[in-house]
Amino acid sequence: MTPPARRRPPTALLLALLLVVVELGALAALTGGMIVELVAGRTVDPLFTSITAAVFIGLIVLLALAVRALHQGRRWGRGPVITWQLLVLAIGISQAGALVWWLAALLIAIPVAVVVGTLVPPSVAWAHRTGPPRAVL
């Protein structure tokens, strides 16, 4: 008996998820830098830096799980991913005058691309499952 063919997520969703993974890499690098500064004793406010790093680690974990869920076709991942993109977009727009042009452009273009890639009809149709996670095989 031949195993059933595994379906592949839509290309738009895959590209959106890849962009989120790139964002997670940047957030992880920022968090790592904060931890290095904290351990080296070079922070102005160690408590603030510790709490911010902990929040960023939590965000990284949540968004990584959301990316995995969307890739597997579970719709709950859409909420955290889109919420994060709206926050990044707000930062990009509000800081556009203070940042170099290409960084501001990235902080605006990437969230728009992720939201569009997540909400196009094939991506919405892909991520429609609401049931509990299946057992690991």
Side-chain angles (χ1 to χ4, degrees):
M1 180 177 226
T2 310
R6 181 162 161 83
R7 291 185 24 214
R8 188 173 158 246
T11 303
L13 182 61
L14 287 175
L15 292 173
L17 296 179
L18 178 63
L19 288 173
V20 175
V21 169
V22 169
E23 290 176 336
L24 290 177
L27 191 57
L30 175 65
T31 305
M34 293 171 73
I35 292 170
V36 166
E37 293 289 315
L38 187 64
V39 170
R42 294 184 292 212
T43 59
V44 175
D45 188 352
L47 180 63
F48 176 78
T49 304
S50 301
I51 292 171
T52 305
V55 169
F56 284 178
I57 290 168
L59 265 171
I60 292 166
V61 170
L62 173 65
L63 289 170
L65 291 172
V67 165
R68 183 172 182 254
L70 281 173
H71 188 267
Q72 292 176 344
R74 291 183 174 79
R75 71 178 181 181
W76 76 261
R78 235 185 330 243
V81 166
I82 291 176
T83 301
W84 175 248
Q85 298 314 309
L86 293 175
L87 290 170
V88 172
L89 181 64
I91 292 168
I93 291 171
S94 69
Q95 298 299 312
L99 299 172
V100 291
W101 70 268
W102 59 268
L103 184 55
L106 282 176
L107 289 175
I108 293 170
I110 290 176
V112 169
V114 171
V115 170
V116 168
T118 305
L119 294 180
V120 294
S123 298
V124 172
W126 170 263
H128 70 282
R129 286 192 282 170
T130 59
R134 59 190 163 113
V136 177
L137 299 176

